[in-house]
Amino acid sequence: MMRMLSPAYTLRTLVWLVLCTATSHAETNLTAPQSSSQILPSTFKPPQVFSNVNLVRTINLEKSYPREHINLVIENTSQEPQDEYYLPIPGEVIGRVGGLEVRDKNDAEKPAFSTQTVEFDPYSSTQYYLITLPTPLSTSKQQTLTITFHTLSSLPPLPAKAEQTAKQFLFYSFSAYMPSAYPTNKQKTKVKLASAEVPDYTKVAGKNSENTEDPQKQGTTLTYGAFGKVEAGAVEDVSIRYEYTRPLPYVTSLERDLEVSHWGGNIATEERYVLTNHATELENHFNRVQWAASQYYASAMFALKELKMPLRIGSANAYFTDDIGNVSTSRFRANRKEALLELKPRYPLFGNWWYKFRVGWDNDLTSAVLRKLKTGGGDSYVLKVPFIEGPKMSEGVSYENVKVRVVLSEGAKNVKFETQIPLVGSSMGMIKSFMDSVGRPTVELRAINLVDDVRERDLIVTYDYSFTASLRKPLTIIASVLAIFVAAWAIGQVDISIGRK
């Protein structure tokens, strides 16, 4: 049954619309979130200048967060060239959407299209992303798009509480029709699950355009459609409850510091985590005997008991601490082929259990910094590091808030940065550490709603650093030691004896 979206409002949506604008192109020296300057009224409806000729939507639920991949063919139905395509997102969901990227399906090598949120009435049940086509689409012309994004905190366990050794089932609700601001001639929605055990799912009344019942189930895949002509704004609410035997790791806060030292030839990395598990909560108290027994046989467990962090080859001096101190239940393997840090928290993390910890390691400066040609201000350097490294697990990891800070050597100038990660803010400043005289330049970047799939995306920082600047710290140390000796000599020359001269 078709219905139009009903009004909804959440505080998180309001805050998110003020702070966040996701951009799919590289950001350079971003100092404020980019957003549309116009706040649209609640009665706004996108101009009906496009139609979706064909649409195939895939929802992937194999990880701890939903991922959507949409292939669609759009056609300009107006009499003028058009380059603005609106993508509607439910108001209660948009604050948890991340990684939105739009590309030309027929030429994946082209840069991603520009996307941004529209500052829309926060009381509206529907919010919009504005997709700007690189070239206006002429009348009756078609273009094939690929849209991808993920959504955080969208898979609640059902039931919410269970026994320690019980199975875990997750619940996901969505529309069998792709939410669209434009009419769609033909569409299909596929859902890929982590398990073939699906005790509950919604069946759509009647038969689809292919004269089959919806959904069609094949192994771990459910298919809704194909559907014929669907009007703009129409939805068909469906839901799925499926077995998921793994934890749902969720990082509410990640603070990542990278400290560059040209004098020491080293990059020191430290990451501070606030980690939880969005899995099923325990119905009764934790049973340690039952937990110990389960370690001796293969059992599906929704508790989070270990993390594996692949680091860059050449990483050394890894450590793992929490609020109590050093955690000995860790293992660091480093050789010419890999560097893997295996972490085991002090206790298993069941649903809604929390754990705060920090990890750190060192890398040789030459593994991440490339010297370029000399400039008027000295040598020019390029620092290339992953925006996040973090755990890599089959179930995936979600990051709600991420702050990355790069601390450069004292004397670095003309600092610039570039990253393909959508940012909500950035700043540059100076900090002083031991024996610094003028301070060390810092670059601080902030992002939200990230997942482990962005581990391969880099942060590039360029800066100038002269030979004179590299001597600043040793000269400061020499001057300080000399000053101490001079002060001691001067004090020794003072006559403090009592008596006649």
Side-chain angles (χ1 to χ4, degrees):
M1 176 179 179
M2 295 193 301
R3 67 172 180 81
M4 304 306 291
L5 291 170
S6 59
Y9 168 73
T10 63
L11 179 60
R12 182 171 180 176
T13 301
L14 175 60
V15 175
W16 185 85
L17 287 171
V18 174
L19 293 178
C20 173
T21 295
T23 56
S24 59
H25 57 278
E27 304 288 354
T28 303
N29 285 9
L30 181 66
T31 56
Q34 297 181 2
S35 62
S36 60
S37 58
Q38 181 183 14
I39 299 179
L40 302 175
S42 59
T43 56
F44 167 77
K45 289 185 178 180
Q48 296 299 294
V49 295
F50 288 104
S51 69
N52 301 320
V53 178
N54 191 16
L55 186 153
V56 178
R57 175 192 186 197
T58 302
I59 302 175
N60 193 315
L61 302 179
E62 294 174 331
K63 289 193 173 185
S64 57
Y65 50 85
R67 295 170 291 166
E68 293 205 20
H69 184 101
I70 305 159
N71 290 326
L72 73 156
V73 180
I74 62 173
E75 179 179 335
N76 181 4
T77 58
S78 71
Q79 300 302 314
E80 302 290 337
Q82 302 292 334
D83 64 351
E84 293 187 345
Y85 183 94
Y86 288 90
L87 177 67
I89 302 289
E92 67 274 11
V93 174
I94 195 168
R96 295 179 273 115
V97 171
L100 182 79
E101 191 172 85
V102 183
R103 293 184 178 273
D104 186 341
K105 186 178 185 299
N106 296 328
D107 193 349
E109 298 301 320
K110 287 184 178 180
F113 298 173
S114 172
T115 62
Q116 64 179 16
T117 54
V118 175
E119 292 185 9
F120 193 43
D121 184 347
Y123 291 91
S124 172
S125 61
T126 304
Q127 306 295 332
Y128 293 94
Y129 272 98
L130 174 60
I131 301 170
T132 304
L133 305 180
T135 304
L137 198 61
S138 302
T139 302
S140 300
K141 295 296 183 179
Q142 297 181 354
Q143 185 164 2
T144 305
L145 306 180
T146 295
I147 303 174
T148 57
F149 62 89
H150 54 259
T151 311
L152 273 61
S153 301
S154 299
L155 300 174
L158 188 66
K161 296 183 178 181
E163 296 290 339
Q164 186 169 314
T165 57
K167 289 184 177 181
Q168 174 178 252
F169 293 90
L170 302 183
F171 178 82
Y172 185 64
S173 60
F174 59 101
S175 171
Y177 300 154
M178 172 67 192
S180 176
Y182 311 99
T184 304
N185 298 338
K186 183 180 180 180
Q187 65 176 299
K188 179 183 294 186
T189 296
K190 296 181 179 180
V191 184
K192 293 184 178 181
L193 303 170
S195 169
E197 185 172 348
V198 188
D200 301 300
Y201 55 88
T202 303
K203 295 182 179 180
V204 179
K207 294 186 177 182
N208 56 41
S209 61
E210 296 179 349
N211 201 32
T212 59
E213 294 183 352
D214 280 325
Q216 293 291 311
K217 186 175 183 298
Q218 293 182 344
T220 60
T221 302
L222 291 175
T223 303
Y224 286 91
F227 300 110
K229 184 72 176 266
V230 176
E231 296 300 324
V235 297
E236 178 70 38
D237 288 335
V238 295
S239 61
I240 297 175
R241 179 173 171 264
Y242 62 100
E243 183 184 17
Y244 191 83
T245 58
R246 292 173 287 179
L248 286 79
Y250 190 88
V251 177
T252 60
S253 174
L254 167 60
E255 295 180 352
R256 173 172 161 85
D257 291 347
L258 298 104
E259 187 172 333
V260 178
S261 173
H262 279 265
W263 182 252
N266 183 68
I267 299 178
T269 303
E270 181 175 277
E271 297 183 341
R272 297 176 292 278
Y273 290 83
V274 180
L275 173 69
T276 187
N277 185 3
H278 279 180
T280 305
E281 297 183 26
L282 290 181
E283 191 171 34
N284 299 312
H285 294 296
F286 172 62
N287 188 322
R288 184 167 292 276
V289 175
Q290 197 175 58
W291 170 258
S294 67
Q295 304 307 300
Y296 292 96
Y297 58 89
S299 61
M301 186 68 67
F302 51 83
L304 180 60
K305 59 181 180 180
E306 66 177 354
L307 301 168
K308 294 185 178 181
M309 299 178 62
L311 306 179
R312 285 170 287 163
I313 296 175
S315 299
N317 305 323
Y319 60 87
F320 173 32
T321 64
D322 58 15
D323 291 341
I324 298 175
N326 181 63
V327 184
S328 60
T329 53
S330 63
R331 181 185 178 189
F332 180 58
R333 294 185 296 174
N335 52 50
R336 294 180 179 180
K337 296 183 179 180
E338 68 171 355
L340 179 63
L341 180 58
E342 299 176 340
L343 312 175
K344 287 190 177 182
R346 296 182 186 272
Y347 48 86
L349 271 67
F350 286 90
N352 206 30
W353 288 24
W354 296 78
Y355 189 60
K356 294 174 63 177
F357 66 95
R358 66 179 62 196
V359 293
W361 60 90
D362 293 331
N363 287 101
D364 190 87
L365 187 66
T366 57
S367 66
V369 175
L370 172 67
R371 177 186 291 186
K372 297 174 67 179
L373 296 176
K374 291 187 176 181
T375 62
D379 290 340
S380 181
Y381 292 87
V382 178
L383 170 67
K384 183 178 179 181
V385 292
F387 191 87
I388 61 173
E389 291 184 72
K392 185 175 183 180
M393 309 169 67
S394 58
E395 55 265 31
V397 182
S398 304
Y399 298 87
E400 183 176 338
N401 294 288
V402 176
K403 182 169 72 174
V404 177
R405 185 177 67 165
V406 179
V407 182
L408 300 174
S409 294
E410 188 176 26
K413 298 179 180 179
N414 195 25
V415 180
K416 299 179 181 179
F417 68 86
E418 180 179 328
T419 181
Q420 292 184 343
I421 299 294
L423 302 176
V424 296
S426 67
S427 62
M428 291 191 181
M430 301 285 285
I431 64 168
K432 284 190 176 182
S433 59
F434 182 69
M435 298 301 292
D436 284 343
S437 54
V438 297
R440 310 180 66 179
T442 63
V443 178
E444 186 174 296
L445 310 176
R446 296 178 296 280
I448 61 173
N449 297 347
L450 300 183
V451 294
D452 58 328
D453 284 350
V454 303
R455 294 182 84 257
E456 306 301 325
R457 299 192 181 184
D458 292 321
L459 167 62
I460 299 175
V461 180
T462 61
Y463 58 96
D464 296 335
Y465 188 68
S466 64
F467 176 73
T468 306
S470 66
L471 297 177
R472 185 188 300 272
K473 180 154 290 189
L475 290 176
T476 300
I477 295 174
I478 292 172
S480 300
V481 173
L482 256 171
I484 293 173
F485 278 107
V486 171
W489 174 83
I491 293 173
Q493 298 304 307
V494 177
D495 186 5
I496 59 175
S497 61
I498 300 175
R500 296 180 180 178
K501 293 185 178 179

